[in-house]
Amino acid sequence: MNTQEELFQNWFRRLQVIYFALLAGQFIAAATLRLVISPLSEPAGSPNIFIGLMAMLMIAGHVVFRKKIAGLVSLGTLSDRMNDYFVAFLLRAALSEAAVLIGLVAYHFICGDRVLYVATMVGLLNFLALLPQRAQVANQVGL
């Protein structure tokens, strides 16, 4: 039978694998778009709507995550807490990834404004900041 530490270690590895898979997808999309498609030579409009949408998605991800893990330590078994944390993390990561992908697509196909490209890179940095840290996650799930 697995101890709680072994259970957590295996679960945490899966969390990290999913995180790095999502991150790799964003880098592949960015590199592909950058190398294959040149952005519009003239901006076709204001990037403000896309920057606002990206910001809303990133903020929504953080809010959803915080609400879902609030009081998590006092809930059920360790396995239940880890599952709830996993769902909260996936929602947060998906919303943050969506912000980056929207920025990339809008920059290359719709707007072409450098400000949007910078905002997209800020979104990518935001996603990098989501890297699960073992001690922090262990504390949040109550291990």
Side-chain angles (χ1 to χ4, degrees), residues 2-9 78 81-82 142-143:
N2 289 341
T3 65
Q4 283 188 345
E5 184 62 32
E6 289 171 338
L7 177 68
F8 178 78
Q9 185 64 30
L78 177 62
R81 292 190 308 263
M82 289 189 309
L143 182 66

Side-chain angles (χ1 to χ4, degrees), residues 105-133:
V105 169
Y107 173 70
H108 282 88
F109 295 111
I110 300 170
C111 187
D113 194 316
R114 289 276 183 199
V115 174
L116 183 57
Y117 189 73
V118 170
T120 302
M121 293 305 110
V122 168
L124 191 55
L125 289 174
N126 171 66
F127 193 88
L128 285 170
L130 299 182
L131 174 66
Q133 302 295 321

Side-chain angles (χ1 to χ4, degrees), residues 85-96:
Y85 185 92
F86 197 78
V87 168
F89 181 81
L90 284 179
L91 286 171
R92 181 184 196 184
L95 289 170
S96 294

Side-chain angles (χ1 to χ4, degrees), residues 35-51:
L35 295 173
V36 174
I37 299 169
S38 60
L40 299 173
S41 57
E42 290 186 28
S46 173
N48 294 341
I49 186 88
F50 299 109
I51 293 171

Side-chain angles (χ1 to χ4, degrees), residues 23-69:
L23 182 62
Q26 292 174 63
F27 278 122
I28 290 168
T32 301
L33 287 172
R34 193 72 176 149
L35 295 173
V36 174
I37 299 169
S38 60
L40 299 173
S41 57
E42 290 186 28
S46 173
N48 294 341
I49 186 88
F50 299 109
I51 293 171
L53 179 60
M54 291 168 59
M56 285 176 18
L57 286 169
M58 287 186 277
I59 291 169
H62 290 287
V63 169
V64 166
F65 179 75
R66 293 290 176 214
K67 284 197 178 273
K68 286 203 166 281
I69 67 163

